[in-house]
Amino acid sequence: MIPLLLRLSALSLLFTTLAARQPNVVIILTDDQGWGDLGVSGNANLATPHIDSLAEQGITMENFYVCQVCAPTRAEFLTGRYYPRTGVSGVSRGQGRLNPDETTIADLFKKNGYATGAFGKWHNGTQAPYHPNDRGFDEYYGFTSGHWGHYFSPPLDHNRRKVRGNGYVVDDFTDHAIEFIKDNHDQPFFCYLPYNTPHSPMMISDEFYGKFEGQEPAQRYRDPSAEDVMMTRAALAMCENIDWNVGRVLETLDQLDLSEDTIVVYFSDNGPNSYRWNGDMKGRKGAIDEGGLRSPFFIRWPNSLPAGKSVSQITGAIDLLPTLTQLAGINPKIAKTLDGRSFKPLLSGTDSNWQPRSLFAIKGSQVSVRTQRFRLDAKGQLFDINADRGQRANVAKSHPAIVKDLQTQATVHKKTMQAAFAQYADRPFTVGYAPSTTLPARDGEPHGTIQRSSKAPNNSFFTHWTETDDSITWDIDVGANATYEAIAYYTCAAGNEGVTLKLSMENAGPTKAKVTEVFDPPLYDKSLERMAESHYFVKDFKPLALGKIKLSEGRGLLRLSAPKIPGQQAVDIHSIELHRIEP
Ligand SMILES: [Ca+2]
């Protein structure tokens, strides 16, 4: 006789199987890939059959808009809200941080029983409570910064632990996503795959670059003299690598018999990172014109959505939280105002009540407004996008009433966004909100002779430290009164050993340690970076225990100094790590 418990569990398994299964969701977000960097958009310079298949088997949103740069788009996708409301203002020095009081799309799916994972470039905060593991993702593998200095087996973050990547980052992120999908194949999952290419550094293996090496692109930017063909070749090779990885994800879904039940979404976070073929559109990444803002967008869900359909209504990243939750039958209610709206009616064809709308792009004090027909650009010029995607003919004089209306809308939007963001403009870096906190060089301030290894802080370290008066400071907010074990990640050239490092805060510390060990590894090999001039410098760093420091709750400046420099220089510094010891 079968034990009752076993029979009951078999019964509940049966009911689970019979009940409408909540769809899985896979979001593929690329980085600096333009609308035009795909075969399906009409670019014959490259082949992207797997991504193109999403358009053939799913729905294309023809007029899908994102922000002009990375972190803002990610924030809008995660929250359904315009990015200045969420605390995000830019891409570096903590500007990408998404306020902890925002509800993310992952929070909503997790609350509804989904397994949640993110694999790739996060770019919405590094320290707790901004880390992806604090934002609704059970599983995280990638890097949290705005860009990364090396793409072959670089240092990465796996659920807040420092790990070394395995192979080309996009392949590596895909491997982890596939593993996550396999592990969760028998329950609903939400898999966010924010790839970090074709963002620079333009590193790509010969396997993908070979086809493009020496090739003259047949289709060019509308002003070919502005195009750097070396950059185009590398970007297109990176896009073919993305396509290969998208193919691996789709094949995994097929193998697990999950394709029918899985919503797959594909889009990019801003326009192309160089002038290359992009339809006839004006501008590139960073511009609040069509070229900087229009993204490819495909959504495939064989069980419920038609294949090969195109939707022309304007939509954007702010719409994804309401749309995807509605498709999955999840209540999208969040405590804050949603800016986006669900475009499920457009997908299913019941769009008779779709109301006209304006989509706004904001860059500092500049605003651009897109309506279904027009774009008012930041200079007040009006373009009839339906007839003139390239924004060549200013038709403001023919439509004075529309210009006036859109200018008013732009002004209101700017005031609203600036007022919303003002309260978040000054945010220190959080320490002690999780057992371990990393303060990278990116978030620090060099003083005296100390310099950054590269112009862009995102993946930099501090170098050229020669004077005992020099120091590095981090503006921090300590979340918990506690004693912290401090570690500095350093390199030290031969002859410079014997440096004393001192860590202090106004009323805390100091704690000191002497660098006794020379550690001076070479920079990572950059032979697979395809641009002649490289701004990326990466090397390994070694931990040095600085001792314990007792920090009090509240804001202050954490300072690293070197009271003794016996050699030519002190040390290079990558980051400070603070481990909270429970009081
Ligand atoms: Ca980007």
Side-chain angles (χ1 to χ4, degrees):
M1 193 176 145
I2 306 163
L4 180 68
L5 201 65
L6 202 66
R7 274 184 288 154
L8 280 177
S9 70
L11 205 64
S12 77
L13 191 72
L14 181 70
F15 279 117
T16 315
T17 314
L18 288 179
R21 193 195 148 117
Q22 285 176 290
N24 309 302
V25 180
V26 176
I27 312 280
I28 300 164
L29 173 60
T30 56
D31 193 357
D32 293 4
Q33 181 180 41
W35 175 89
D37 290 333
L38 294 173
V40 71
S41 297
N43 193 337
N45 292 329
L46 84 170
T48 51
H50 300 105
I51 302 165
D52 298 357
S53 80
L54 295 173
E56 287 149 21
Q57 297 163 18
I59 299 177
T60 300
M61 304 308 284
E62 286 290 350
N63 291 290
F64 187 83
Y65 292 95
V66 294
C67 307
Q68 64 277 12
V69 282
C70 318
T73 294
R74 287 146 206 271
E76 294 193 350
F77 156 65
L78 288 168
T79 63
R81 289 155 48 75
Y82 281 121
Y83 74 88
R85 292 195 206 271
T86 71
V88 172
S89 62
V91 294
S92 192
R93 307 290 311 275
Q95 293 169 329
R97 284 177 293 168
L98 181 73
N99 283 334
D101 61 355
E102 293 289 332
T103 302
T104 72
I105 190 170
D107 290 328
L108 293 174
F109 277 86
K110 184 179 161 72
K111 206 172 90 185
N112 281 273
Y114 277 69
T116 54
F119 309 91
K121 164 171 142 175
W122 172 247
H123 207 179
N124 287 121
T126 295
Q127 299 87 7
Y130 298 94
H131 189 276
N133 286 138
D134 302 311
R135 309 317 300 267
F137 291 101
D138 303 323
E139 178 74 14
Y140 176 67
Y141 181 82
F143 61 87
T144 56
S145 201
H147 66 248
W148 219 224
H150 206 281
Y151 288 173
F152 291 91
S153 304
L156 294 172
D157 173 327
H158 188 195
N159 295 331
R160 304 184 216 265
R161 281 183 301 109
K162 288 184 169 69
V163 295
R164 190 72 188 258
N166 179 23
Y168 191 62
V169 276
V170 176
D171 306 353
D172 195 12
F173 297 153
T174 308
D175 287 344
H176 280 78
I178 287 173
E179 199 180 319
F180 171 80
I181 290 169
K182 285 181 174 167
D183 286 350
N184 294 289
H185 71 278
D186 58 353
Q187 68 163 103
F189 57 80
F190 182 89
C191 176
Y192 176 37
L193 245 172
Y195 288 146
N196 60 307
T197 55
H199 194 298
S200 59
M202 306 308 285
M203 282 187 190
I204 182 73
S205 68
D206 291 338
E207 185 192 347
F208 288 96
Y209 190 69
K211 170 179 164 181
F212 296 94
E213 190 164 20
Q215 193 194 80
E216 279 306 308
Q219 286 160 268
R220 306 283 299 270
Y221 183 63
R222 60 193 245 179
D223 170 11
S225 70
E227 181 165 348
D228 180 339
V229 172
M230 287 287 284
M231 180 80 182
T232 301
R233 289 171 184 149
L236 297 182
M238 291 160 105
C239 289
E240 287 205 352
N241 167 266
I242 292 171
D243 187 71
W244 177 71
N245 279 297
V246 169
R248 295 203 299 136
V249 173
L250 299 181
E251 194 187 324
T252 303
L253 295 174
D254 278 346
Q255 283 167 355
L256 297 170
D257 204 17
L258 291 175
S259 293
E260 296 290 316
D261 279 330
T262 302
I263 299 170
V264 178
V265 166
Y266 187 94
F267 71 116
S268 178
D269 69 343
N270 48 249
N273 50 352
S274 70
Y275 291 116
R276 52 185 184 262
W277 186 83
N278 195 21
D280 182 45
M281 289 188 285
K282 180 184 176 184
R284 45 167 272 191
K285 175 184 182 180
I288 51 174
D289 288 304
E290 288 287 302
L293 300 171
R294 185 181 178 211
S295 158
F297 184 92
F298 314 111
I299 181 166
R300 185 190 83 168
W301 184 15
N303 248 356
S304 296
L305 298 177
K309 180 176 166 174
S310 255
V311 171
S312 62
Q313 278 88 345
I314 56 167
T315 51
I318 51 171
D319 298 328
L320 293 176
L321 181 147
T323 303
L324 294 172
T325 48
Q326 198 187 7
L327 288 174
I330 288 172
N331 183 354
K333 191 141 180 59
I334 56 170
K336 304 193 171 210
T337 318
L338 271 179
D339 289 311
R341 59 161 90 149
S342 170
F343 57 75
K344 179 173 180 271
L346 301 177
L347 302 175
S348 54
T350 56
D351 56 351
S352 53
N353 285 322
W354 187 256
Q355 297 298 310
R357 67 193 306 205
S358 299
L359 288 176
F360 299 92
I362 186 163
K363 178 183 182 179
S365 61
Q366 300 182 322
V367 179
S368 177
V369 192
R370 176 78 157 91
T371 63
Q372 190 58 44
R373 181 176 167 191
F374 293 103
R375 176 173 292 287
L376 181 80
D377 78 0
K379 293 179 187 157
Q381 303 180 95
L382 188 74
F383 300 98
D384 181 351
I385 300 300
N386 284 352
D388 175 27
R389 179 74 74 177
Q391 294 174 241
R392 290 170 189 276
N394 179 7
V395 296
K397 279 189 181 148
S398 315
H399 304 276
I402 289 170
V403 170
K404 197 170 169 224
D405 174 40
L406 295 183
Q407 272 173 341
T408 305
Q409 289 188 35
T411 304
V412 170
H413 183 76
K414 180 161 70 179
K415 279 188 183 156
T416 310
M417 291 301 122
Q418 287 178 341
F421 179 72
Q423 54 189 311
Y424 312 124
D426 180 32
R427 291 177 299 171
F429 293 95
T430 44
V431 167
Y433 289 78
S436 173
T437 304
T438 292
L439 293 168
R442 177 197 67 204
D443 300 337
E445 198 69 59
H447 305 280
T449 64
I450 302 172
Q451 296 169 6
R452 278 188 194 283
S453 58
S454 54
K455 272 189 296 181
N458 268 330
N459 195 231
S460 63
F461 55 87
F462 289 122
T463 187
H464 196 269
W465 184 345
T466 61
E467 304 294 329
T468 52
D469 290 343
D470 298 349
S471 66
I472 303 161
T473 53
W474 283 267
D475 179 7
I476 64 170
D477 161 40
V478 178
N481 286 325
T483 301
Y484 293 80
E485 186 94 54
I487 292 165
Y489 282 82
Y490 79 98
T491 64
C492 177
N496 292 340
E497 62 269 37
V499 175
T500 301
L501 290 179
K502 179 174 114 178
L503 190 71
S504 61
M505 221 163 129
E506 281 90 339
N507 298 311
T511 178
K512 291 182 194 174
K514 198 179 202 178
V515 177
T516 54
E517 219 176 313
V518 167
F519 183 68
D520 193 18
L523 291 170
Y524 283 18
D525 170 52
K526 294 203 277 190
S527 56
L528 295 178
E529 189 169 346
R530 307 299 175 171
M531 298 300 286
E533 205 183 326
S534 167
H535 304 286
Y536 300 92
F537 307 97
V538 179
K539 59 182 178 179
D540 286 326
F541 291 83
K542 192 179 175 68
L544 172 75
L546 292 175
K548 291 174 183 162
I549 184 165
K550 199 168 179 179
L551 302 177
S552 313
E553 245 179 67
R555 187 171 185 173
L557 274 188
L558 184 73
R559 187 179 298 274
L560 184 71
S561 51
K564 268 193 198 154
I565 305 179
Q568 296 282 313
Q569 290 196 12
V571 288
D572 286 1
I573 290 289
H574 172 269
S575 53
I576 296 286
E577 220 172 66
L578 292 163
H579 298 283
R580 193 179 68 207
I581 303 166
E582 296 309 327

